[in-house]
Amino acid sequence: MADKKVVATVSLAGCFGCHMSMLDIDLRLLDLVQLVRFDRSPLTDIKKFTERAAIGLIEGGVCNDENVHVLREFRLNCDVLISVGECAIMGGLPALRNDIPLRECLEEAYLTGPTAVQGQRIIPHHVDLPKILDRVYPCHEIVKIDYYLPGCPPSADLIWAALSGLLSGKLDTLPRELVKYD
Amino acid sequence: MSDAKKVKFSLDGKEAESHQGVNLVQAIEENGTHVPTLCWSPGIEPCLGTCRVCTVKVNGRETAACALKIEEGMKIECDTDDLKDLRKGILELLFVEGNHFCPGCEKSGDCELQGMGYRFGMTHPRFPYRFSHYELDYRGVHLLLERNRCIHCKRCTELFSDDQGRKVFSFVGKGKDTRVEMNLDLEAKMPIHKCREAASLCPTGAIILKGQGFDRPVGTRRFDNPPDKGSKNG
């Protein structure tokens, strides 16, 4: 146990598709658990770092102040930080709102949209709710990111190539045939 | 071109040869070095040099290769680490200047900009995203214009005309407000093969044939698989 590398993962403004793709490495999961131990991650349901991680995998972009806080926490607690997927790299689908003013987005969603509930038309603003940012930011515009795995989602083979390469210290460049933007 | 006078030049320190009047991109490729291009393809003369991804050094100065013709004694640098990184940087600027969200683009897999990203090994742009806000133009009968994906290469305005030789696309506005426009009357009368030609001429997903996106499985599209060595695809 002691010499296993610690890995942490999180989904910020993402859809968990990248996490599903991580699980898609199939039988190689058995190899992976011989090499690593998952700390903070939706896979373990551990909510706070219990120890420093060697690798942090970030899915999703940054759309609210809680995402900023979590991302900074990952940067502080991980030796190597990887942006996984289009949303982490460029904001992805949530970033489609980036050319629309935030007020207009919220009004459309909660006040004027066809799915707004009659009599309950209010923009949620409780103190415990994360504050929505003016736009969705790619992770590398908030903290330093060390590696990038493009794709929507990145294929299981690309994730495996990156993880196994990092763990063995042999990650030079990502195999070109595995790098896809869609 | 074989009747033209032979010219000698230096390419990355080695002696190279071509013929007078040959476009610099072709002259370099004749000597075995690949030059990436987006706005240029054989036949566009003179090329406007709009995209700059073919940047090389000529006599010590960076310039777009597609906009020059080879001359005797030129000292050209092309395949150096600095220039490769510069060209990659230019490509990244093209990505951040528009909204190139590949997973949601009908052209994904067949997009030359995307293919060049794969070729350059680009995993992310090093520049902040601009998240442009150009209006989509749905008014066409067959074609739609997604201007947030336009890299202003001017292929459509310079190379495309309808069956009767009339220009269908034009650029209006200046600076950051420059946008591609389509003659809606001519577009409405264009046969489907011309519409398909216009959409495939666009190196990105700015000109899209309505109702035709996502029509082939991933893995079978033009840039899904790395090319064989020596091929210009990807």
Side-chain angles (χ1 to χ4, degrees), chain B residues 79-138:
Chain B
D79 211 15
T80 66
D81 288 344
D82 276 359
L83 281 167
K84 282 184 195 166
D85 191 56
L86 178 68
R87 290 194 287 260
K88 191 175 169 198
I90 290 168
L91 183 77
E92 290 166 11
L93 285 169
L94 292 176
F95 267 89
V96 298
E97 202 183 2
N99 296 346
H100 297 281
F101 175 53
C102 296
C105 179
E106 301 87 337
K107 195 72 176 279
S108 188
D110 296 310
C111 169
E112 290 180 42
L113 185 71
Q114 185 188 55
M116 193 158 287
Y118 294 157
R119 176 185 270 276
F120 284 14
M122 189 190 96
T123 55
H124 69 290
R126 287 165 283 182
F127 307 98
Y129 285 95
R130 180 167 156 247
F131 293 111
S132 61
H133 182 47
Y134 295 107
E135 289 297 320
L136 266 69
D137 191 341
Y138 294 102

Side-chain angles (χ1 to χ4, degrees), chain A residues 86-87 89-93 95-96 98-100 135-138 140-141 148-152 174 176-182, chain B residues 95 99-103 108-109 114-115 117-119 122-125 127-129 131-133 221 223-227 233-234:
Chain A
E86 277 297 294
C87 298
I89 292 173
M90 64 83 68
L93 196 70
L96 291 183
N98 280 9
D99 58 354
I100 304 168
R135 65 179 179 89
V136 180
Y137 292 84
H140 63 270
E141 290 187 16
Y148 300 81
L149 303 181
C152 185
L174 296 169
R176 183 176 161 194
E177 66 275 13
L178 297 181
V179 173
K180 295 281 175 283
Y181 302 156
D182 62 357
Chain B
F95 267 89
N99 296 346
H100 297 281
F101 175 53
C102 296
S108 188
Q114 185 188 55
Y118 294 157
R119 176 185 270 276
M122 189 190 96
T123 55
H124 69 290
F127 307 98
Y129 285 95
F131 293 111
S132 61
H133 182 47
R221 303 167 305 177
F223 296 108
D224 278 341
N225 300 301
N233 264 10

Side-chain angles (χ1 to χ4, degrees), chain A:
Chain A
M1 282 290 275
D3 55 354
K4 281 188 179 180
K5 299 267 190 193
V6 177
V7 174
T9 77
V10 72
S11 178
L12 304 176
C15 69
F16 273 91
C18 296
H19 273 78
M20 299 303 285
S21 200
M22 282 177 214
L23 298 178
D24 255 354
I25 62 175
D26 296 334
L27 285 176
R28 289 169 290 188
L29 279 168
L30 301 176
D31 299 329
L32 188 64
V33 293
Q34 299 296 318
L35 299 169
V36 306
R37 182 169 65 252
F38 283 92
D39 192 66
R40 181 185 167 149
S41 167
L43 304 174
T44 56
D45 211 22
I46 298 174
K47 311 280 195 221
K48 289 186 174 168
F49 281 97
T50 62
E51 58 187 316
R52 189 167 178 80
I55 300 171
L57 300 165
I58 311 289
E59 170 190 336
V62 180
C63 80
N64 61 36
D65 62 348
E66 196 248 354
N67 292 159
V68 176
H69 174 77
V70 171
L71 184 57
R72 286 184 175 152
E73 206 186 336
F74 262 73
R75 182 67 276 180
L76 282 174
N77 286 282
C78 300
D79 296 338
V80 168
L81 214 53
I82 308 178
S83 268
V84 183
E86 277 297 294
C87 298
I89 292 173
M90 64 83 68
L93 196 70
L96 291 183
R97 77 163 164 95
N98 280 9
D99 58 354
I100 304 168
L102 178 59
R103 173 176 288 276
E104 214 174 294
C105 285
L106 291 171
E107 285 178 353
E108 173 74 18
Y110 295 107
L111 302 182
T112 61
T115 54
V117 181
Q118 285 283 351
Q120 295 180 29
R121 296 192 174 178
I122 185 168
I123 295 175
H125 59 274
H126 192 273
V127 68
D128 287 345
L129 290 175
K131 305 288 181 293
I132 305 284
L133 301 181
D134 59 335
R135 65 179 179 89
V136 180
Y137 292 84
C139 292
H140 63 270
E141 290 187 16
I142 307 292
V143 299
K144 182 185 183 298
I145 298 288
D146 302 299
Y147 294 95
Y148 300 81
L149 303 181
C152 185
S155 67
D157 288 341
L158 179 64
I159 294 172
W160 175 250
L163 273 181
S164 56
L166 274 176
L167 291 168
S168 63
K170 290 178 196 156
L171 184 65
D172 186 13
T173 51
L174 296 169
R176 183 176 161 194
E177 66 275 13
L178 297 181
V179 173
K180 295 281 175 283
Y181 302 156
D182 62 357

